[in-house]
Amino acid sequence: MSVRPHTKWSLSVGIGVIGALIVTLVVLAFLWPSKTAGAHDVPLGIVGSADAVAAFEDALDASAPGVFDLTEASDRDAAVAQIEERHTYGAIVLNEAPNAPEVLTAPAASTAVSQQLGGLAAQLQAQLSAQVAAAGGDADAVTVAVTPIVPLSADDPNGTGLTAAAFPLTMGGMIGGIVISLLVVGVIRRLVALGGFAVASGLILSLVLHTWFGFVPGDYATIALVIGISVLGTSALIVGFTALIGTPGVAVGAILTMLVGNPISGAALPWQFLAQPWGAIGQYFVPGASSTLLRSVAYFPAADTSAQWLTLAAWAAGGILLALAGHFRSRAAIRVPASTLEAEAPAPA
C-alpha cells in the first residue's frame, strides 16, 4: 500500500499563513463598515419660513457639519409625504412662535437616524426654553413634539428582527446556489431547481418573518416575491459562475456576495453612514438592493422601488445567462467536427 508523502515544511507554513490572511480579510470585510461608519448627507426635510430655515441650517452646520442634507418642503403634509416615499429620513417643522417646532421621525427607515433626530429635538427644546424664559414666560409651557411618522412593528419595536433577517437571506442564497451547483447536473435541471428554490424560499421565509415572527409587516405575497427574487439573485450567480468556470465559480460568487456586497449593503445602518462611494455602490449588489426593497415593501408602500427590483432582476438574469453560456461552451468543446472524424477514419482495405 502506497503511503502519501508528507507535505513540505515550507508549504505547511505557507498554507497556515494564507489561511490566517483569509480569516483576516473576512473579519475586516465585516468590521470595516462599522469602524468607518458615520452619518453624512442624510436627507432631512425642513418646513418653515426662509429666515427660520436659514437660521436653522446655520445652527445645524455649526453643531453637526455635513451630517444632514436639508430638503425644503412646502408644509407639514409635504414633509410627511417625503418621509413616506423614502426621500428623507425625517423632518423638522419650524412652526412660528408661539407654536413649538415639531420633529418628524421614521424609525422604520432607521433607528439610528431617529435617535439623532431625538437629539436635535432636545437641542431645539433647550433653545426654545431659554428664549421663553428670557421673555419672562413659562419655559415648561412649550414642548418640542417628536412624532414618529412610520413607526416599527409592535413585534419588532427596535428593528433588530428586520435587520437580522438580511444576513440569513444572503447566506440562504449562497447555500442554495452551492447545493444546486454541486448536486444538480444539466443546465435546464439547474434552472428548474433555481426556480423551485426561489419560490419555496419566498413562501416559507415569508411565513416565518411575516406571519409567525411579525418582523416584516405588509402584504404577504409581495414580501414572498421580494425574498424569492433576493435569494434567486445570489443563487443564480453562483450557479452561473460554476457552469462557466467550474468549481472555482462557487468561490467567485461567494466572494462577490459575502465579502463585497454584504459589508456595503447598508442593512444594519443607512447606506449614507458608510464611507463614500461604497454605500451607494452597495445598493447595486444583491444584499443592498434586497435589504432596501424588503424594508420599503414592509413599511413604505408609497416609495419608488423600481431601482431595487431592476437590480435584483439583473443579477438573477445575469446568473441564468452565465449558466446557459457555460452549458453551450461545454457542448462546443466536446463536439468533434464531422470532417475530423472522416480524416481520422481508417482507409478501406
Side-chain angles (χ1 to χ4, degrees):
M1 185 176 75
S2 60
V3 179
R4 186 179 178 184
H6 290 171
T7 304
K8 294 182 179 180
W9 286 106
S10 59
L11 182 58
S12 299
V13 174
I15 291 175
V17 173
I18 291 173
L21 292 175
I22 292 174
V23 172
T24 302
L25 180 62
V26 173
V27 171
L28 285 175
F30 281 90
L31 296 183
W32 170 78
S34 299
K35 177 65 176 177
T36 59
H40 45 79
D41 296 329
V42 176
L44 180 65
I46 187 166
V47 179
S49 64
D51 292 340
V53 169
F56 179 81
E57 188 170 6
D58 291 339
L60 190 63
D61 287 339
S63 61
V67 173
F68 293 103
D69 180 17
L70 297 180
T71 300
E72 291 194 42
S74 57
D75 52 28
R76 185 183 186 279
D77 290 340
V80 170
Q82 289 177 346
I83 295 172
E84 293 176 339
E85 294 170 3
R86 296 203 75 179
H87 296 309
T88 60
Y89 283 86
I92 307 295
V93 181
L94 300 173
N95 293 319
E96 298 294 338
N99 297 320
E102 182 184 12
V103 177
L104 310 180
T105 66
S110 171
T111 54
V113 176
S114 294
Q115 290 171 358
Q116 288 184 320
L117 292 178
L120 278 181
Q123 294 178 19
L124 288 172
Q125 180 66 59
Q127 294 173 3
L128 183 64
S129 297
Q131 292 173 2
V132 172
D138 183 3
D140 296 327
V142 183
T143 303
V144 176
V146 178
T147 307
I149 299 301
V150 188
L152 285 158
S153 165
D155 294 314
D156 188 25
N158 298 317
T160 54
L162 181 58
T163 300
F167 186 71
L169 289 182
T170 300
M171 285 296 299
M174 289 177 54
I175 292 172
I178 293 171
V179 169
I180 293 171
S181 298
L182 299 180
L183 299 184
V184 180
V185 179
V187 64
I188 301 300
R189 289 171 174 81
R190 283 180 172 175
L191 296 182
V192 170
L194 280 172
F197 171 68
V199 172
S201 296
L203 294 175
I204 295 172
L205 292 177
S206 294
L207 190 64
V208 174
L209 296 174
H210 172 273
T211 307
W212 185 8
F213 289 171
F215 288 167
V216 185
D219 178 64
Y220 173 85
T222 305
I223 292 168
L225 185 60
V226 172
I227 293 176
I229 195 172
S230 297
V231 298
L232 180 62
T234 299
S235 56
L237 182 69
I238 292 176
V239 168
F241 275 122
T242 304
L244 191 66
I245 62 177
T247 304
V250 172
V252 173
I255 288 172
L256 278 176
T257 300
M258 186 59 65
L259 298 185
V260 179
N262 191 68
I264 59 176
S265 64
L269 292 171
W271 63 264
Q272 289 90 351
F273 278 51
L274 302 178
Q276 294 301 321
W278 300 110
I281 292 174
Q283 294 302 295
Y284 293 97
F285 283 84
V286 173
S290 62
S291 177
T292 300
L293 181 59
L294 186 61
R295 192 177 292 270
S296 291
V297 300
Y299 288 105
F300 299 90
D304 180 10
T305 57
S306 56
Q308 290 78 45
W309 285 112
L310 289 173
T311 298
L312 294 174
W315 281 100
I320 293 171
L321 290 176
L322 287 175
L324 292 172
H327 167 71
F328 288 114
R329 193 189 70 168
S330 298
R331 289 188 60 182
I334 63 175
R335 187 182 298 118
V336 181
S339 58
T340 303
L341 293 176
E342 293 174 358
E344 294 178 353

